[in-house]
Amino acid sequence: MQMPPTSPDTALEPPVLTAEHVTPPAGRAVVLRWRQWLGLGIVLLGIVAAAAQAWQWIASQPTVEAAWWSGLVAALATALGTLPVLLSQRLSERAQDTLFGFGAGVMLAACAFSLIIPGLHAARGAGAGAWGAGATVGGAILLGALVLLWMERLLPHEHFIKGVEGAPASRTLQRTWLFVFAIALHNLPEGLAIGVAHAGGDPLRANALATGIAIQDVPEGLVVAMALLAAGYRRALAVGLGMASGLVEPLGAVLGAAVVSASASLLPWGLGFAAGAMLFVISHEIIPESHRKGHEAWATGGLMVGFVVMMLLDTALG
C-alpha cells in the first residue's frame, strides 16, 4: 500500500530557533547574576567569620601568636624579594643557581643547629637515653621526609626545570596552579620549622631560625618570580605568585606551633619532623634545581656561604 505523496505545504519542517528561544529573558539573566553575587557574598562572609574566629584563637595562644608573626615576617621577606622583577631586573642563570645554593645552605644549617640538636636535647630532657633520643629524632626525620614524599606524589605540581611531577593533573588544572602547588610544597616545611621552634620554649633560638629563613626567603622570592617570568608568565602575575608563595609559611607556623604546644612530649618529634621535611626539600628540590644548568661550583659556593650565615645567626642569636 502506497502512502499518498505529501505536499510541500503539509511536510514537517524542523522548528526554527529564534533569538528569543536561545537568549534567556533579560529579567531571568538579572536574577541569575544576582544569585551568583549573593552566593559569592555569603562565601566571603563565611571566610571572614572563620578568619576572625581563627585569629581570636591565635591571639589567645601566645606561642602560636609568636609563631604566626614570625611566619608572616618570612612571608613578607619573600614578597620583598620579588620587587626587583617589577623594575625589569633580570638575573643570570648562574646568579639564580648561586641563590638556590645559598637558600639550601641556610636551610641545611637550620636543620642541624635549630632543629635536630634541640630535638636531641628535648628528647634527653624528657628522660630518654642517648640511643632513645637518637632513635626518636631519627624516626621523626624519616617520618617528615616520607610525608613530604607522599604529598609530592599525591599533588600534581610542576617544577621550573624538571617539569610536571606527582599525580596526573586534570585538563582543567591550569599550569599556573601546578607551579603554585610546587612552591607550597617547598615553603610548608619552613613554616612548620618556625612554629615548632617557637613551641620549643626557647624564643632566642626560634627568632634565630625565623631570621635565617627570612634572609633566605628574600633571594628565594626573587628566583621564584624570575623563574615564573622565564616560563612565560606576565610580569605582574609572576610577581603576584611569587609574593603569594610565602603565605604558606605563617599557616605552617601556626600548624606546627599548635600541634607541638598541645603536648610537651611531641617537641622532639616535631623538631625532627620539621628537619626531615626540610632535608627532603633540600635534597629533592633545591640542590637538583641548582645543578641542572652547569653551575654546580657556584651553587655549592652559595650553599657554603648560606650554611655559615645561618650558623653565625644561630650562634649569635640562639
Side-chain angles (χ1 to χ4, degrees):
M1 179 178 179
Q2 285 187 339
M3 298 292 296
T6 57
S7 64
D9 296 335
T10 60
L12 294 177
E13 297 181 356
V16 179
L17 296 178
T18 61
E20 54 192 22
H21 291 93
V22 177
T23 306
R28 184 180 177 186
V30 171
V31 171
L32 290 175
R33 193 178 301 115
W34 275 106
R35 286 180 178 177
Q36 293 174 351
W37 282 108
L38 180 61
L40 180 60
I42 293 173
V43 171
L44 290 177
L45 286 176
I47 293 175
V48 171
Q53 291 183 352
W55 174 249
Q56 289 180 356
W57 178 82
I58 290 173
S60 66
Q61 307 289 327
T63 300
V64 178
E65 184 180 7
W68 161 263
W69 287 115
S70 293
L72 189 61
V73 169
L76 291 176
T78 303
L80 179 65
T82 65
L83 294 181
V85 179
L86 289 176
L87 305 176
S88 301
Q89 299 296 320
R90 288 187 174 272
L91 290 178
S92 65
E93 291 183 350
R94 185 175 65 184
Q96 292 185 40
D97 290 339
T98 304
L99 292 178
F100 268 130
F102 177 83
V106 170
M107 294 174 68
L108 192 59
C111 289
F113 300 111
S114 300
L115 296 174
I116 295 177
I117 293 177
L120 292 171
H121 290 326
R124 293 294 296 270
W131 282 97
T136 298
V137 176
I141 290 173
L142 295 177
L143 180 61
L146 286 174
V147 169
L148 260 292
L149 177 62
W150 172 76
M151 292 178 64
E152 199 217 25
R153 297 291 175 86
L154 180 67
L155 290 176
H157 58 283
E158 182 169 352
H159 299 280
F160 300 117
I161 298 175
K162 292 191 293 183
V164 179
E165 287 188 346
S170 63
R171 293 183 179 180
T172 58
L173 192 62
Q174 296 183 2
R175 188 166 176 242
T176 304
W177 290 107
L178 298 180
F179 279 122
V180 170
F181 289 156
I183 296 169
L185 285 173
H186 175 94
N187 287 340
L188 179 61
E190 298 176 8
L192 289 174
I194 292 174
V196 172
H198 276 282
D202 189 347
L204 292 178
R205 189 175 295 278
N207 289 333
L209 173 64
T211 301
I213 289 178
I215 289 175
Q216 70 95 21
D217 276 344
V218 175
E220 179 181 285
L222 176 61
V223 170
V224 167
M226 293 296 302
L228 288 169
L229 189 65
Y233 290 93
R234 297 190 304 273
R235 190 176 300 275
L237 181 58
V239 171
L241 288 176
M243 290 183 173
S245 67
L247 296 178
V248 180
E249 295 185 58
L251 298 179
V254 169
L255 177 62
V259 171
V260 176
S261 297
S263 174
S265 62
L266 293 177
L267 179 59
W269 284 95
L271 291 169
F273 182 93
M278 290 180 68
L279 286 172
F280 177 86
V281 171
I282 294 168
S283 176
H284 191 72
E285 305 286 349
I286 303 180
I287 292 179
E289 292 280 358
S290 66
H291 284 203
R292 287 182 178 273
K293 299 179 182 178
H295 306 121
E296 295 89 346
W298 289 90
T300 302
L303 185 146
M304 301 299 292
V305 172
F307 188 95
V308 171
V309 167
M310 184 61 212
M311 182 190 69
L312 292 175
L313 284 173
D314 187 85
T315 303
L317 301 180

